[in-house]
Amino acid sequence: MRLAVGGVSRAFGGVYAVRDVSLTVAPGELRAIIGPNGAGKSTLFALIGGQLATHHGSVTLDGARVERLPAHRRARLGVGVVFQGARIFHGLTALENVMVGAHATTRAGFLSAALRLPAHHREERAIRERALTCLDRAGIADWAHRPAEELPLGQQRALQLARALCARPRLLLLDEPASGLRAAEREHLAGLITALRAEGLTILLVEHDVAFVMRLADRITVLDLGRVIADGSPAEIRENPRVIEAYLGPSFVRSPHGAS
């Protein structure tokens, strides 16, 4: 899926969180958004996902404008979202939480489910198998039948990613997915994101861990005070004087991670 953001702006109380931001993400590209706290990253993320409405500008998916569509309509078009905080449905197992993610792609309909027709049973079995596969890809298959609220934080975050994948997205929005994860969990996440990109999934990644971003991203957009200050490859961003001054700092450039 191709994403194009054209001059989007969003203000809160007269103060712009995002102002005149434009970017294009090609099908199968992994684009990262970085910047200091308060740069507008999460606001831009919500404007693309539909959790917030734009005040100005456009958001298009494969050429179709969607900035006026609510989040659930964008989900039906193939937008999957993994939020910064772990969002789970209490009282459901991990498997059931992931199965909920497929609601945007179901076809049997309410009547078929209410009457428990064969089409509903076939679809339910298919969704269950898909959810189990997604749990395995997220590295938490062993937790499938445990209550979701019993999972540790790292597994709850992985659960949210598995739920998004269960909807078979064509554009995946990730808001700080590595935050709070242990080293082994971060490595597994990096491997999964790399595999998803190799499969052709378009990914927009908002992340504070710059070294994590530099490993994965095809291109990086840098925000500061709600505006784009740089856009380019990881190598270009690493050496951009404006980015170094506003965000990275000279110590990152000299560090092994920055030089990698």
Side-chain angles (χ1 to χ4, degrees), residues 27-41:
E29 179 184 348
L30 197 163
R31 172 67 63 93
I33 308 292
I34 66 173
N37 290 331
K41 303 184 298 296

Side-chain angles (χ1 to χ4, degrees), residues 63-207:
R65 293 186 63 162
V66 299
E67 68 270 8
R68 296 185 181 275
L69 296 183
H72 71 274
R73 293 280 302 278
R74 299 187 203 193
R76 286 190 174 275
L77 294 175
V79 178
V81 181
V82 177
F83 296 99
Q84 182 176 349
R87 301 188 181 187
I88 61 171
F89 297 102
H90 289 251
L92 299 180
T93 66
L95 175 60
E96 291 165 341
N97 263 264
V98 175
M99 291 176 68
V100 169
H103 77 279
T105 61
T106 55
R107 297 185 178 183
F110 174 78
L111 182 61
S112 178
L115 298 177
R116 305 192 69 79
L117 298 179
H120 167 70
H121 287 295
R122 287 194 299 271
E123 188 169 63
E124 192 76 6
R125 286 195 297 271
I127 290 173
R128 181 182 178 88
E129 290 303 314
R130 192 195 318 169
L132 287 168
T133 298
C134 292
L135 282 167
D136 184 58
R137 296 200 72 179
I140 53 172
D142 291 344
W143 298 83
H145 302 292
R146 296 280 296 274
E149 59 268 26
E150 292 184 3
L151 273 63
L153 176 61
Q155 280 69 33
Q156 288 187 8
R157 296 178 71 87
L159 175 63
Q160 189 179 192
L161 176 56
R163 187 167 62 220
L165 294 178
C166 195
R168 292 177 174 168
R170 295 189 297 137
L171 168 65
L172 182 62
L173 309 179
L174 301 172
D175 192 3
E176 298 193 29
S179 177
L181 299 186
R182 294 173 296 185
E185 294 169 335
R186 295 164 83 87
E187 285 302 311
H188 184 273
L189 175 63
L192 176 55
I193 291 174
T194 299
L196 293 171
R197 179 184 56 182
E199 293 167 13
L201 183 61
T202 307
I203 301 174
L204 186 72
L205 169 66
V206 174
E207 182 56 59

